[in-house]
Amino acid sequence: MSVGATSGLTAIDRARRGDVGAVRVLVIGRGRLRVIEAARAIGFGVRVVAPDAGRDLEDAALARDHHAVLVDADADADAEELVEQLAELAPNVPIVVVGDAPSDGANSHWIDAGADDYLAMADVRTTLRRAVEAAIARGRARELRRRLEHADRLAAVGKLAAGVAHEVNNPAAYVLMNLRTCREHVGELRALDSGAGRDDDGAPSPVAALLDEMAEMLDDNVRGVERIVAIVHALRSYARSDADEVATVEVATVCREAAALTAAQLRTRARFVLEVEPGVCVHADPRRLCQVLVNLLVNAGDAIPVGERDHRIEVVAQRRGDWASIRVSDTGTGIPASIRGRIFEPFFSTKPRGHGSGLGLAIARDIIDRYGGRIDVESTVGHGSRFEIVLPIDVVTEAPEVHDAAIARWPRARLLVIDDELSLTKALGRQLRRHHEVAIANDGASALELAERHRFDVVLCDLMMPDMDGLAVHDALGRCAPELAERVVFMSGSAYASELHRVVQARGLPLVHKPTPLVALLDAIEGARARAG
């Protein structure tokens, strides 16, 4: 199949029903009339290119307006090399070689060079149709196989990305918690030094100056790690391949995740601008919506010619009446009006062969359709394109913000923190000890021993641990401390624990995702204690 043209198999079917020119062939040769006449006699559309046409030949071979290539074996001394180049340049395009030699001896030779079939000139009138149709079918099979292999590679890359994201997530979580705790300690030290905070001339004391510099460095580090965490979260969510998990999602959050995933690619092509209105929510699976935005952003980047400066890619998200609007625009090459109506067709692509499956926009439109929305496109050649996603607004009642004063009023509780990552439990302990009494266990067996010897109000337990996972710990608590089993809060940082997440949901227990902001964690702890009380 030639991407962007009518399917070769569809063209064959139309030709058999009398549609003259439905099957189009590119003849590379000196225009021997017998080949051209035979092709036209059976209703093929024909274009002829000389074998020494250079760039014109390459452009013709890569064009999307033919279904098969006929090569005249005797028109050029380097015909074999030409076939090899064509097979490498456009591996899915069917190639049929026609020559004066009998087919018995030459067939395997040309097939080894990359052709699908060889025909003797003497038999061309009677066998050309069969040979071309068979070659088109083989080319279609090659393309489908390539797409399956590509899909397998994407799935493998997705698993690898999710695994890497999970491994990065835990250390990023405890680094972020430790940085936030250090920032709080600096504030306390500054308060202790308040009496000697300035010299006689009003300048900050050396200690105060150092504390100010430390606070500034910690703020920079916190922002840096938060950026890493945001990218890891987006990558982990994007790599999952579960069924849709539709929920109320803030458009601004999804836009930021898509921007984080494509930032490295886009910043080398254009200036990136992100303008998002907060609080605009839709009913969708955030991973699928992110997938759509990533596809549009990658396409926008590809539309910017390499090496050109002063280009711009922009994402604007805002509310328009009862609809949420997400516009992705670029100042790239634009889409010709002649093909604009086909860009959402499956397997249609304007990119060079091997640089796109032709499925991205088709899948994007299908996803948006499922959520009751639409994708509109405007484009001007030479000035760029703008894609607009329009989705119905999901009206939600915002939860009241929890401020530090409310946190301070929460009574202290005895917590049991269980996680196999030693550094993570230490960081959690440092953060939580300012608000609660904390005991730490780094495996399920040790945690159960502590639960049998001491009284705890709430358990924070990692969901995925070696030997005994969080669900097994919960089952054991149900036997030895049933009242405590009702006050478990699970923690998870994995992209591949969706089945476990569903089990936790079925048990009616809360689940927080690492790294969890302190306010959200304290809120979950208080909720667990109140639920059992």
Side-chain angles (χ1 to χ4, degrees):
M1 172 181 170
S2 183
V3 179
T6 304
S7 161
L9 298 180
T10 301
I12 289 172
D13 183 63
R14 288 169 51 187
R16 288 175 176 174
R17 287 183 280 133
D19 188 348
V20 176
V23 175
R24 298 181 296 277
V25 295
L26 175 68
V27 178
I28 301 177
R30 299 297 180 185
R32 283 208 275 186
L33 290 179
R34 195 185 306 178
V35 177
I36 298 173
E37 289 175 354
R40 287 176 175 160
I42 56 180
F44 289 172
V46 178
R47 179 186 177 188
V48 182
V49 177
D52 56 358
R55 182 67 183 179
D56 289 341
L57 172 60
E58 182 177 327
D59 290 343
L62 288 173
R64 305 172 188 275
D65 56 0
H66 59 268
H67 302 103
V69 176
L70 300 180
V71 177
D72 187 345
D74 302 307
D76 191 272
D78 297 325
E80 182 178 345
E81 182 179 347
L82 173 63
V83 170
E84 291 175 348
Q85 291 175 351
L86 287 173
E88 182 177 355
L89 190 64
N92 298 322
V93 174
I95 302 173
V96 177
V97 178
V98 182
D100 291 330
S103 58
D104 292 343
N107 196 308
S108 61
H109 171 76
W110 288 103
I111 289 176
D112 289 342
D116 289 278
D117 205 347
Y118 173 84
L119 297 180
M121 188 65 69
D123 304 324
V124 70
R125 294 186 184 277
T126 58
T127 59
L128 183 60
R129 181 192 294 274
R130 174 197 57 79
V132 170
E133 290 181 353
I136 289 174
R138 284 193 289 270
R140 176 63 169 166
R142 283 197 300 273
E143 185 168 7
L144 291 176
R145 183 168 59 249
R146 180 186 65 83
R147 286 178 178 162
L148 286 173
E149 291 171 353
H150 182 63
D152 286 342
R153 286 197 299 272
L154 287 179
V157 170
K159 290 182 178 179
L160 177 63
V164 171
H166 176 58
E167 291 304 312
V168 172
N169 192 64
N170 273 351
Y174 62 70
V175 168
L176 184 58
M177 284 187 284
N178 284 337
L179 286 171
R180 287 170 173 164
T181 302
C182 286
R183 191 167 56 180
E184 292 176 0
H185 289 343
V186 168
E188 293 170 354
L189 289 172
R190 185 186 282 119
L192 291 174
D193 189 55
S194 59
R198 293 187 177 273
D199 294 334
D200 294 338
D201 59 0
S205 70
V207 173
L210 283 174
L211 290 175
D212 289 343
E213 187 173 6
M214 288 177 64
E216 183 178 342
M217 290 188 295
L218 287 169
D219 287 340
D220 290 341
N221 289 341
V222 166
R223 283 192 294 270
V225 178
E226 284 176 341
R227 181 179 171 187
I228 293 171
V229 168
I231 293 172
V232 167
H233 174 76
L235 187 61
R236 190 176 63 222
S237 298
Y238 189 76
R240 288 171 55 189
S241 58
D242 312 336
D244 280 12
E245 296 179 1
V246 178
T248 297
V249 55
E250 187 182 26
V251 170
T253 301
V254 178
C255 290
R256 292 189 190 99
E257 289 184 354
L261 287 172
T262 56
Q265 179 177 351
L266 299 183
R267 72 165 63 100
T268 62
R269 294 292 185 97
R271 185 165 67 92
F272 181 71
V273 178
L274 179 65
E275 297 179 2
V276 291
E277 179 182 339
V280 179
C281 295
V282 297
H283 200 57
D285 185 328
R287 296 167 300 147
R288 304 299 182 222
L289 188 54
C290 183
Q291 177 184 351
V292 172
L293 286 172
V294 166
N295 180 269
L296 294 180
L297 285 171
V298 169
N299 286 349
D302 289 343
I304 305 295
V306 177
E308 291 190 8
R309 304 295 180 186
D310 300 325
H311 280 283
R312 176 186 177 103
I313 295 173
E314 185 176 83
V315 176
V316 177
Q318 59 187 165
R319 178 168 183 162
R320 292 188 172 186
D322 294 332
W323 299 87
S325 166
I326 310 171
R327 298 192 302 277
V328 179
S329 58
D330 65 74
T331 58
T333 54
I335 305 169
S338 59
I339 64 171
R340 201 173 303 151
R342 303 188 59 198
I343 59 175
F344 293 103
E345 293 180 10
F347 305 123
F348 181 88
S349 175
T350 60
K351 299 177 183 179
R353 294 183 190 271
H355 292 272
S357 65
L359 290 172
L361 287 177
I363 293 173
R365 185 174 64 176
D366 178 67
I367 290 171
I368 298 304
D369 284 349
R370 290 206 302 267
Y371 303 142
R374 69 179 191 274
I375 301 181
D376 300 326
V377 58
E378 298 177 4
S379 187
T380 303
V381 174
H383 294 278
S385 304
R386 185 178 75 176
F387 286 79
E388 182 177 21
I389 300 169
V390 180
L391 290 165
I393 288 285
D394 188 20
V395 181
V396 294
T397 302
E398 295 185 3
E401 293 186 14
V402 181
H403 299 281
D404 291 342
I407 294 174
R409 290 197 299 269
W410 285 342
R412 292 182 70 85
R414 289 183 54 83
L415 306 181
L416 175 57
V417 177
I418 313 168
D419 197 301
D420 61 295
E421 186 83 42
L422 180 62
S423 297
L424 184 61
T425 53
K426 287 182 178 179
L428 270 171
R430 294 187 191 103
Q431 271 204 330
L432 293 172
R433 284 194 182 102
R434 302 170 60 83
H435 309 280
H436 299 293
E437 298 175 28
V438 181
I440 289 172
N442 293 114
D443 59 76
S446 301
L448 293 174
E449 290 181 9
L450 287 173
E452 290 177 349
R453 295 201 312 264
H454 304 282
R455 183 190 65 81
F456 293 100
D457 299 307
V458 177
V459 175
L460 287 178
C461 185
D462 187 27
L463 191 55
M464 295 184 67
M465 298 184 293
D467 299 327
M468 180 181 286
D469 63 21
L471 293 177
V473 171
H474 182 252
D475 291 338
L477 285 174
R479 294 188 294 270
C480 70
E483 72 289 345
L484 187 57
E486 299 177 11
R487 301 194 295 272
V488 173
V489 176
F490 284 110
M491 303 179 293
S492 177
S494 174
Y496 289 119
S498 56
E499 185 60 38
L500 294 177
H501 294 177
R502 283 189 283 271
V503 174
V504 170
Q505 187 177 21
R507 295 188 182 190
L509 296 170
L511 173 68
V512 296
H513 293 275
K514 297 183 287 186
T516 309
L518 179 60
V519 170
L521 192 58
L522 292 172
D523 191 22
I525 291 168
E526 185 62 20
R529 184 164 57 174
R531 185 176 61 251

